[in-house]
Amino acid sequence: MEELERPQPPARMAGAPRSFLLFLLLLSQPRDTSPALSFCSPKLVNGILGESVVLPLDSEAMFKRITWNAPSPCQDAASGRRVHLAVVTPGGPGALPHLAVEDERYRGRVRLHGRTYSLEISNLTMADEGKYEVEKNLIAHNQYKCDYALFIYKRLSEPELRVHPAMAGNGTCNVTFTCSAGERAWHLTYTWTRPAGGAILSTEESLLVQHRLGDEDSPVTCTATNPVSNSSASASPKAACEGPAPPQTPALSYCRAKGILVLGVLGTLLAGILTVHVLAAREQTRP
Ligand SMILES: *[C@@H]1O[C@H](CO)[C@@H](O)[C@H](O)[C@H]1NC(C)=O
Ligand SMILES: *[C@@H]1O[C@H](CO)[C@@H](O)[C@H](O)[C@H]1NC(C)=O
Ligand SMILES: *[C@@H]1O[C@H](CO)[C@@H](O)[C@H](O)[C@H]1NC(C)=O
Ligand SMILES: *[C@@H]1O[C@H](CO)[C@@H](O)[C@H](O)[C@H]1NC(C)=O
């Protein structure tokens, strides 16, 4: 904000009561009204890597020129230096406004979003992260400025679950699950639930589950969440402690089907044999 021009009171007002200056400052807070310069409250915008983001700008008012500034390409984020990204000028009567992209890095990736003069940036890269600024020059020398902090996150893919079973004696198994979504950790949260979507067991990266050998399985689910997405994976304490379960369900129904078939064949055979015997017996008992 250092480089922003604030309205300078004339020299003879240097001794004006502070309250009057405060009043001037307060007046400058609301959006483009009478004071010469107005600010928005800085906006935080989250973008998704490879996707698009919109830096919002409400603008119905007539304007002379809108200048979008981008973070400096040098890695001196601390300096907060910004460079011209694009300049928007009104089109002729009935024509669309003109957008001139001045920064190579954004060429082919920016356009005006809808009728609002909001700036849409597509194919976001991590390098797009930083502070943006818009300066809107209105007619009658009024100016409006707004700062944006753009953060880029990856859309989370399915987290990886690592499993550490340890026999704790007495037929119990301590199994530790560790969830990892592979992104920078500080903006990631993990929640463990059982069942998926149920009560929260833990919000740590790892979860310790005690499983009694032979007990029912009770899978746990880890959901990784970042500001733009979430993704889940589930794991089974029983499988972790007792080895992968035999392919039960399909095998069972297959066996059952086979059993029924064998029973049916046996039954038919038995009925056949009986019939033959009975018939034979009748034959013999006939005089
Ligand atoms: C944006 O990404 C898409 C898909 O990866 C690609 O086809 C397109 O050329 C990219 N556009 C620009 C301007 O980089
Ligand atoms: C298993 O977990 C319990 C409960 O947290 C703990 O008291 C015990 O020491 C653990 N045993 C082993 C062998 O890790
Ligand atoms: C083993 O488990 C049984 C049943 O829960 C309990 O009564 C017993 O005290 C346990 N023994 C040990 C050594 O932990
Ligand atoms: C997870 O993302 C979905 C959309 O992908 C959203 O509807 C849901 O509310 C999110 N859940 C959490 C806990 O953030």
Side-chain angles (χ1 to χ4, degrees):
M1 298 284 277
E2 318 74 60
E3 75 270 31
L4 298 185
E5 306 156 22
R6 290 183 177 278
Q8 294 296 317
R12 65 191 155 81
M13 271 180 63
R18 290 188 79 86
S19 58
F20 178 69
L21 293 181
L22 209 67
F23 175 62
L24 270 186
L25 262 178
L26 279 178
L27 269 186
S28 74
Q29 294 308 309
R31 284 157 298 152
D32 13 311
T33 46
S34 38
L37 178 58
S38 59
F39 298 92
C40 75
S41 45
K43 293 177 166 52
L44 193 130
V45 183
N46 291 331
I48 305 180
L49 188 65
E51 300 184 21
S52 303
V53 77
V54 173
L55 303 181
L57 175 63
D58 295 322
S59 181
E60 302 310 326
M62 299 286 283
F63 66 95
K64 279 191 292 200
R65 176 186 161 95
I66 296 172
T67 308
W68 285 95
N69 292 327
S72 157
C74 319
Q75 294 305 311
D76 58 350
S79 80
R81 206 161 65 81
R82 289 164 219 184
V83 296
H84 275 193
L85 192 172
V87 174
V88 185
T89 44
L96 292 170
H98 181 247
L99 173 76
V101 180
E102 298 188 353
D103 190 325
E104 279 297 330
R105 296 174 294 163
Y106 296 90
R107 204 143 279 167
R109 293 201 295 137
V110 292
R111 63 186 184 119
L112 293 177
H113 180 80
R115 299 169 148 265
T116 55
Y117 305 99
S118 299
L119 192 73
E120 181 174 340
I121 309 174
S122 53
N123 286 26
L124 289 170
T125 68
M126 291 317 284
D128 292 332
E129 207 170 65
K131 277 213 157 44
Y132 290 73
E133 180 191 60
V134 69
E135 280 176 37
K136 186 163 72 176
N137 290 89
L138 304 166
I139 8 220
H141 304 289
N142 283 352
Q143 203 184 39
Y144 167 84
K145 289 192 183 198
C146 195
D147 278 348
Y148 304 83
L150 175 64
F151 292 94
I152 310 287
Y153 301 94
K154 282 184 194 145
R155 191 181 279 285
L156 291 174
S157 51
E158 191 176 307
E160 186 194 330
L161 291 186
R162 273 172 293 133
V163 177
H164 259 283
M167 294 317 287
N170 206 9
T172 59
C173 163
N174 281 4
V175 51
T176 307
F177 295 103
T178 308
C179 191
S180 163
E183 238 211 304
R184 287 182 290 174
W186 55 272
H187 50 62
L188 258 187
T189 58
Y190 295 102
T191 41
W192 288 96
T193 52
R194 177 169 51 203
I200 291 172
L201 300 174
S202 166
T203 53
E204 305 283 312
E205 230 171 304
S206 295
L207 176 74
L208 173 72
V209 174
Q210 283 200 297
H211 172 74
R212 290 198 151 276
L213 299 183
D215 272 7
E216 282 279 293
D217 196 13
S218 179
V220 290
T221 300
C222 169
T223 303
T225 305
N226 72 4
V228 297
S229 64
N230 63 68
S231 179
S232 304
S234 296
S236 145
K238 193 179 177 75
C241 293
E242 301 175 20
Q248 283 173 342
T249 328
L252 251 181
S253 57
Y254 172 66
C255 288
R256 210 172 271 166
K258 212 163 133 185
I260 289 165
L261 195 74
V262 169
L263 267 183
V265 169
L266 277 181
T268 317
L269 268 177
L270 208 68
I273 291 166
L274 276 178
T275 317
V276 168
H277 273 267
V278 167
L279 283 180
R282 276 194 192 154
E283 208 83 351
Q284 275 176 11
T285 52
R286 252 182 217 166

